[in-house]
Amino acid sequence: MEKKIESLQWADPSPAGLVALAMACFTFFAVFSGRVDASATPLLGIWLLGGFVVQIAVALIELREGNVLGGNVFLFFSAFFMFVTGSEQLIKFMMAQDGIALDGRIDGWAWLVLAIALLTWTPAYLKKSGAVMSLCVLALDVAVPLIALKDLGVFGTGEAAATATLVIAYALLIAGIFGLIVAMATVLNKSLGATVVKLPGPIVK
């Protein structure tokens, strides 16, 4: 029985992980672009915790199948982008109801690490992944460092902060759209056994 389980090949879970990523990107676009107000914060937290469930499963399967890049990216996305951020949304909302202010600059230091990791891993995506997935990552390369700098208070509270927030919003929207395209192509092509949606190859040959 043990040998049979070990020889079982897992299906590609990355489309579900990309849908979860797109959900996070779209909802944060709504937040950063001012399309929803602060009352949506706890709802956002619950959606992100749902995304954590999806992405931790994707990460473990990807790592089990030997995908170092995708498995590790989904692993830290599930933990920090989804679970931590989702939990924080709920905590911050509850604290705000009691008039308790939290020093959000600690988030900036944490996001800075995530930004550096993503930026330094990007060449692997440019070489190993198709162009659309690479564009998704490049859009995140814009959004994540700006989120870190915003939380660190680098932009202050004036016009620079407003501009950075808008750039973050649209970079996340773009990343989400590209993620959905890759998810769609992967599911349709593999399920139907034909190239229904043809995506370009890697940017770096």
Side-chain angles (χ1 to χ4, degrees), residues 1-149:
M1 177 64 73
E2 186 176 344
K3 289 183 179 179
K4 188 174 182 181
I5 292 175
E6 287 180 357
S7 64
L8 184 65
Q9 183 176 3
W10 293 87
D12 183 1
S14 63
L18 290 171
V19 169
L21 172 65
M23 175 275 296
C25 289
F26 274 51
T27 51
F28 272 111
F29 165 75
V31 171
F32 284 122
S33 63
R35 283 167 169 76
V36 297
D37 58 39
S39 65
T41 299
L43 300 178
L44 173 60
I46 293 170
W47 277 99
L48 292 174
L49 291 176
F52 160 74
V53 175
V54 174
Q55 289 201 336
I56 189 66
V58 173
L60 294 175
I61 295 171
E62 292 270 18
L63 291 171
R64 176 66 179 82
E65 293 297 300
N67 186 348
V68 174
L69 178 60
N72 279 281
V73 169
F74 276 120
L75 190 59
F76 84 70
F77 268 49
S78 69
F80 305 127
F81 285 54
M82 299 294 182
F83 184 79
V84 171
T85 306
S87 300
E88 276 201 357
Q89 296 299 309
L90 298 175
I91 292 170
K92 287 178 178 179
F93 183 79
M94 290 186 290
M95 294 296 99
Q97 303 310 301
D98 295 329
I100 301 173
L102 301 174
D103 189 347
R105 289 175 297 180
I106 191 64
D107 288 339
W109 288 103
W111 278 99
L112 187 60
V113 174
L114 304 182
I116 293 170
L118 195 59
L119 288 166
T120 55
W121 293 7
T122 295
Y125 271 104
L126 299 179
K127 178 72 175 177
K128 297 294 184 181
S129 300
V132 178
M133 188 63 221
S134 293
L135 290 173
C136 174
V137 173
L138 289 171
L140 291 173
D141 283 343
V142 173
V144 177
L146 287 177
I147 291 172
L149 295 174

Side-chain angles (χ1 to χ4, degrees), residues 28-29 31-34 146 150 155 159-170:
F28 272 111
F29 165 75
V31 171
F32 284 122
S33 63
L146 287 177
K150 182 175 183 295
F155 301 119
E159 185 176 341
T163 301
T165 300
L166 203 57
V167 172
I168 292 168
Y170 281 96

